[in-house]
Amino acid sequence: MLGRLNHVAIAVPDLAAATALYRDTLGAKVSAPQSLPEHGVTVVFIDTGNTKIELLEPVGEKSPIASFLEKSPAGGMHHICYEVDDIIAARDRLKAEGARVLGDGEPKIGAHGKPVLFLHPKDFLGTLVELEQAG
Ligand code: CO
């Protein structure tokens, strides 16, 4: 079921500063910012060749990133995203295994225009896991 690592996401308090750090200090190619109000974030992506890094800045007070940054004001690793071939089949299998899917359990369209789901970190070794439908 589990496919490739699609990206690792880092929550940041200042997306412009984080973009400059990756672009200027690390010499990375950073995408233009993309606003995802449904997810409460603005994102940029950095393509590292074998995977991507997603930098997340909160939008709005209800953003899930806002509460994360209250605990980690300097930023920090927020989630990892794995690809799956069939997100509905993956969700149903995980629920049958007792894993908790966040939200209403229905996939939302993520930053790449593909359906995504998030799995409860307490069920996955303290790590928030995003699943993205591949292809
Ligand atoms: Co993500």
Side-chain angles (χ1 to χ4, degrees), residues 31-51:
S31 76
Q34 189 180 348
S35 182
L36 299 173
E38 196 189 2
H39 296 273
V41 293
T42 302
V43 303
V44 297
F45 281 97
I46 296 139
D47 193 340
T48 63
N50 60 341
T51 190

PDB file of all heavy atoms in Angstrom, residues 31-51:
ATOM      1  N   SER A  31       9.620  27.088  -5.068  1.00  0.00           N
ATOM      2  CA  SER A  31       8.475  27.455  -5.899  1.00  0.00           C
ATOM      3  C   SER A  31       7.869  28.772  -5.429  1.00  0.00           C
ATOM      4  O   SER A  31       8.163  29.258  -4.336  1.00  0.00           O
ATOM      5  CB  SER A  31       7.402  26.357  -5.826  1.00  0.00           C
ATOM      6  OG  SER A  31       6.705  26.432  -4.593  1.00  0.00           O
ATOM      7  N   ALA A  32       6.983  29.308  -6.245  1.00  0.00           N
ATOM      8  CA  ALA A  32       6.197  30.471  -5.817  1.00  0.00           C
ATOM      9  C   ALA A  32       5.227  30.048  -4.718  1.00  0.00           C
ATOM     10  O   ALA A  32       4.791  28.897  -4.686  1.00  0.00           O
ATOM     11  CB  ALA A  32       5.433  31.040  -7.001  1.00  0.00           C
ATOM     12  N   PRO A  33       4.885  30.964  -3.798  1.00  0.00           N
ATOM     13  CA  PRO A  33       3.923  30.625  -2.742  1.00  0.00           C
ATOM     14  C   PRO A  33       2.557  30.275  -3.321  1.00  0.00           C
ATOM     15  O   PRO A  33       2.126  30.850  -4.328  1.00  0.00           O
ATOM     16  CB  PRO A  33       3.837  31.898  -1.903  1.00  0.00           C
ATOM     17  CG  PRO A  33       5.006  32.722  -2.284  1.00  0.00           C
ATOM     18  CD  PRO A  33       5.387  32.338  -3.673  1.00  0.00           C
ATOM     19  N   GLN A  34       1.911  29.323  -2.648  1.00  0.00           N
ATOM     20  CA  GLN A  34       0.597  28.853  -3.070  1.00  0.00           C
ATOM     21  C   GLN A  34      -0.312  28.916  -1.843  1.00  0.00           C
ATOM     22  O   GLN A  34       0.015  28.359  -0.799  1.00  0.00           O
ATOM     23  CB  GLN A  34       0.753  27.404  -3.559  1.00  0.00           C
ATOM     24  CG  GLN A  34      -0.449  26.812  -4.227  1.00  0.00           C
ATOM     25  CD  GLN A  34      -0.158  25.359  -4.657  1.00  0.00           C
ATOM     26  OE1 GLN A  34       1.001  24.919  -4.645  1.00  0.00           O
ATOM     27  NE2 GLN A  34      -1.181  24.642  -5.006  1.00  0.00           N
ATOM     28  N   SER A  35      -1.433  29.601  -1.973  1.00  0.00           N
ATOM     29  CA  SER A  35      -2.358  29.744  -0.845  1.00  0.00           C
ATOM     30  C   SER A  35      -3.375  28.605  -0.867  1.00  0.00           C
ATOM     31  O   SER A  35      -3.994  28.341  -1.898  1.00  0.00           O
ATOM     32  CB  SER A  35      -3.074  31.084  -0.962  1.00  0.00           C
ATOM     33  OG  SER A  35      -3.922  31.249   0.142  1.00  0.00           O
ATOM     34  N   LEU A  36      -3.512  27.928   0.278  1.00  0.00           N
ATOM     35  CA  LEU A  36      -4.469  26.826   0.391  1.00  0.00           C
ATOM     36  C   LEU A  36      -5.391  27.101   1.575  1.00  0.00           C
ATOM     37  O   LEU A  36      -5.229  26.515   2.652  1.00  0.00           O
ATOM     38  CB  LEU A  36      -3.737  25.495   0.600  1.00  0.00           C
ATOM     39  CG  LEU A  36      -2.787  25.036  -0.494  1.00  0.00           C
ATOM     40  CD1 LEU A  36      -2.025  23.804  -0.041  1.00  0.00           C
ATOM     41  CD2 LEU A  36      -3.551  24.729  -1.780  1.00  0.00           C
ATOM     42  N   PRO A  37      -6.366  28.006   1.388  1.00  0.00           N
ATOM     43  CA  PRO A  37      -7.205  28.404   2.531  1.00  0.00           C
ATOM     44  C   PRO A  37      -7.950  27.232   3.164  1.00  0.00           C
ATOM     45  O   PRO A  37      -8.174  27.240   4.378  1.00  0.00           O
ATOM     46  CB  PRO A  37      -8.170  29.428   1.918  1.00  0.00           C
ATOM     47  CG  PRO A  37      -7.945  29.431   0.457  1.00  0.00           C
ATOM     48  CD  PRO A  37      -6.662  28.737   0.160  1.00  0.00           C
ATOM     49  N   GLU A  38      -8.313  26.241   2.374  1.00  0.00           N
ATOM     50  CA  GLU A  38      -9.040  25.093   2.936  1.00  0.00           C
ATOM     51  C   GLU A  38      -8.189  24.341   3.954  1.00  0.00           C
ATOM     52  O   GLU A  38      -8.712  23.709   4.874  1.00  0.00           O
ATOM     53  CB  GLU A  38      -9.469  24.158   1.804  1.00  0.00           C
ATOM     54  CG  GLU A  38     -10.526  23.171   2.245  1.00  0.00           C
ATOM     55  CD  GLU A  38     -10.822  22.094   1.202  1.00  0.00           C
ATOM     56  OE1 GLU A  38     -10.166  22.084   0.141  1.00  0.00           O
ATOM     57  OE2 GLU A  38     -11.677  21.269   1.486  1.00  0.00           O
ATOM     58  N   HIS A  39      -6.862  24.413   3.783  1.00  0.00           N
ATOM     59  CA  HIS A  39      -5.943  23.750   4.710  1.00  0.00           C
ATOM     60  C   HIS A  39      -5.345  24.730   5.726  1.00  0.00           C
ATOM     61  O   HIS A  39      -4.560  24.332   6.581  1.00  0.00           O
ATOM     62  CB  HIS A  39      -4.820  23.062   3.930  1.00  0.00           C
ATOM     63  CG  HIS A  39      -5.298  21.947   3.053  1.00  0.00           C
ATOM     64  ND1 HIS A  39      -5.447  20.667   3.505  1.00  0.00           N
ATOM     65  CD2 HIS A  39      -5.691  21.930   1.750  1.00  0.00           C
ATOM     66  CE1 HIS A  39      -5.892  19.892   2.525  1.00  0.00           C
ATOM     67  NE2 HIS A  39      -6.052  20.650   1.453  1.00  0.00           N
ATOM     68  N   GLY A  40      -5.689  26.020   5.595  1.00  0.00           N
ATOM     69  CA  GLY A  40      -5.199  27.017   6.544  1.00  0.00           C
ATOM     70  C   GLY A  40      -3.717  27.301   6.414  1.00  0.00           C
ATOM     71  O   GLY A  40      -3.058  27.628   7.408  1.00  0.00           O
ATOM     72  N   VAL A  41      -3.186  27.181   5.197  1.00  0.00           N
ATOM     73  CA  VAL A  41      -1.741  27.374   5.021  1.00  0.00           C
ATOM     74  C   VAL A  41      -1.428  28.073   3.693  1.00  0.00           C
ATOM     75  O   VAL A  41      -2.218  28.035   2.749  1.00  0.00           O
ATOM     76  CB  VAL A  41      -0.969  26.027   5.021  1.00  0.00           C
ATOM     77  CG1 VAL A  41      -1.031  25.361   6.377  1.00  0.00           C
ATOM     78  CG2 VAL A  41      -1.453  25.095   3.930  1.00  0.00           C
ATOM     79  N   THR A  42      -0.254  28.693   3.668  1.00  0.00           N
ATOM     80  CA  THR A  42       0.403  29.059   2.414  1.00  0.00           C
ATOM     81  C   THR A  42       1.646  28.184   2.321  1.00  0.00           C
ATOM     82  O   THR A  42       2.347  28.002   3.322  1.00  0.00           O
ATOM     83  CB  THR A  42       0.791  30.545   2.401  1.00  0.00           C
ATOM     84  OG1 THR A  42      -0.379  31.323   2.599  1.00  0.00           O
ATOM     85  CG2 THR A  42       1.435  30.933   1.076  1.00  0.00           C
ATOM     86  N   VAL A  43       1.915  27.622   1.147  1.00  0.00           N
ATOM     87  CA  VAL A  43       3.021  26.676   1.008  1.00  0.00           C
ATOM     88  C   VAL A  43       3.959  27.100  -0.114  1.00  0.00           C
ATOM     89  O   VAL A  43       3.559  27.750  -1.067  1.00  0.00           O
ATOM     90  CB  VAL A  43       2.527  25.237   0.703  1.00  0.00           C
ATOM     91  CG1 VAL A  43       1.572  24.752   1.777  1.00  0.00           C
ATOM     92  CG2 VAL A  43       1.887  25.131  -0.665  1.00  0.00           C
ATOM     93  N   VAL A  44       5.218  26.699   0.028  1.00  0.00           N
ATOM     94  CA  VAL A  44       6.146  26.659  -1.098  1.00  0.00           C
ATOM     95  C   VAL A  44       6.745  25.255  -1.118  1.00  0.00           C
ATOM     96  O   VAL A  44       6.782  24.564  -0.082  1.00  0.00           O
ATOM     97  CB  VAL A  44       7.291  27.704  -0.995  1.00  0.00           C
ATOM     98  CG1 VAL A  44       6.746  29.121  -1.012  1.00  0.00           C
ATOM     99  CG2 VAL A  44       8.161  27.459   0.220  1.00  0.00           C
ATOM    100  N   PHE A  45       7.185  24.835  -2.294  1.00  0.00           N
ATOM    101  CA  PHE A  45       7.826  23.533  -2.421  1.00  0.00           C
ATOM    102  C   PHE A  45       9.253  23.691  -2.904  1.00  0.00           C
ATOM    103  O   PHE A  45       9.561  24.569  -3.705  1.00  0.00           O
ATOM    104  CB  PHE A  45       7.055  22.636  -3.397  1.00  0.00           C
ATOM    105  CG  PHE A  45       5.834  22.024  -2.780  1.00  0.00           C
ATOM    106  CD1 PHE A  45       4.592  22.604  -2.976  1.00  0.00           C
ATOM    107  CD2 PHE A  45       5.927  20.908  -1.977  1.00  0.00           C
ATOM    108  CE1 PHE A  45       3.461  22.060  -2.387  1.00  0.00           C
ATOM    109  CE2 PHE A  45       4.807  20.357  -1.379  1.00  0.00           C
ATOM    110  CZ  PHE A  45       3.571  20.930  -1.594  1.00  0.00           C
ATOM    111  N   ILE A  46      10.099  22.816  -2.389  1.00  0.00           N
ATOM    112  CA  ILE A  46      11.493  22.742  -2.795  1.00  0.00           C
ATOM    113  C   ILE A  46      11.710  21.349  -3.337  1.00  0.00           C
ATOM    114  O   ILE A  46      11.484  20.357  -2.623  1.00  0.00           O
ATOM    115  CB  ILE A  46      12.410  23.010  -1.587  1.00  0.00           C
ATOM    116  CG1 ILE A  46      12.191  24.454  -1.096  1.00  0.00           C
ATOM    117  CG2 ILE A  46      13.871  22.769  -1.943  1.00  0.00           C
ATOM    118  CD1 ILE A  46      12.153  24.570   0.376  1.00  0.00           C
ATOM    119  N   ASP A  47      12.103  21.266  -4.598  1.00  0.00           N
ATOM    120  CA  ASP A  47      12.331  19.956  -5.206  1.00  0.00           C
ATOM    121  C   ASP A  47      13.784  19.562  -4.976  1.00  0.00           C
ATOM    122  O   ASP A  47      14.698  20.247  -5.427  1.00  0.00           O
ATOM    123  CB  ASP A  47      12.020  20.034  -6.704  1.00  0.00           C
ATOM    124  CG  ASP A  47      11.928  18.650  -7.324  1.00  0.00           C
ATOM    125  OD1 ASP A  47      12.451  17.674  -6.729  1.00  0.00           O
ATOM    126  OD2 ASP A  47      11.336  18.538  -8.409  1.00  0.00           O
ATOM    127  N   THR A  48      13.993  18.468  -4.245  1.00  0.00           N
ATOM    128  CA  THR A  48      15.357  18.018  -3.975  1.00  0.00           C
ATOM    129  C   THR A  48      15.771  16.872  -4.905  1.00  0.00           C
ATOM    130  O   THR A  48      16.803  16.245  -4.687  1.00  0.00           O
ATOM    131  CB  THR A  48      15.507  17.541  -2.512  1.00  0.00           C
ATOM    132  OG1 THR A  48      14.656  16.412  -2.315  1.00  0.00           O
ATOM    133  CG2 THR A  48      15.131  18.630  -1.533  1.00  0.00           C
ATOM    134  N   GLY A  49      14.950  16.605  -5.915  1.00  0.00           N
ATOM    135  CA  GLY A  49      15.290  15.550  -6.864  1.00  0.00           C
ATOM    136  C   GLY A  49      14.649  14.230  -6.502  1.00  0.00           C
ATOM    137  O   GLY A  49      13.882  13.679  -7.292  1.00  0.00           O
ATOM    138  N   ASN A  50      14.947  13.729  -5.304  1.00  0.00           N
ATOM    139  CA  ASN A  50      14.331  12.450  -4.903  1.00  0.00           C
ATOM    140  C   ASN A  50      13.042  12.651  -4.130  1.00  0.00           C
ATOM    141  O   ASN A  50      12.231  11.735  -4.021  1.00  0.00           O
ATOM    142  CB  ASN A  50      15.307  11.613  -4.065  1.00  0.00           C
ATOM    143  CG  ASN A  50      15.750  12.311  -2.802  1.00  0.00           C
ATOM    144  OD1 ASN A  50      15.638  13.538  -2.688  1.00  0.00           O
ATOM    145  ND2 ASN A  50      16.247  11.547  -1.862  1.00  0.00           N
ATOM    146  N   THR A  51      12.837  13.856  -3.580  1.00  0.00           N
ATOM    147  CA  THR A  51      11.576  14.144  -2.893  1.00  0.00           C
ATOM    148  C   THR A  51      11.421  15.661  -2.838  1.00  0.00           C
ATOM    149  O   THR A  51      12.145  16.388  -3.533  1.00  0.00           O
ATOM    150  CB  THR A  51      11.551  13.493  -1.477  1.00  0.00           C
ATOM    151  OG1 THR A  51      10.219  13.605  -0.940  1.00  0.00           O
ATOM    152  CG2 THR A  51      12.540  14.138  -0.528  1.00  0.00           C
TER     153      THR A  51
END
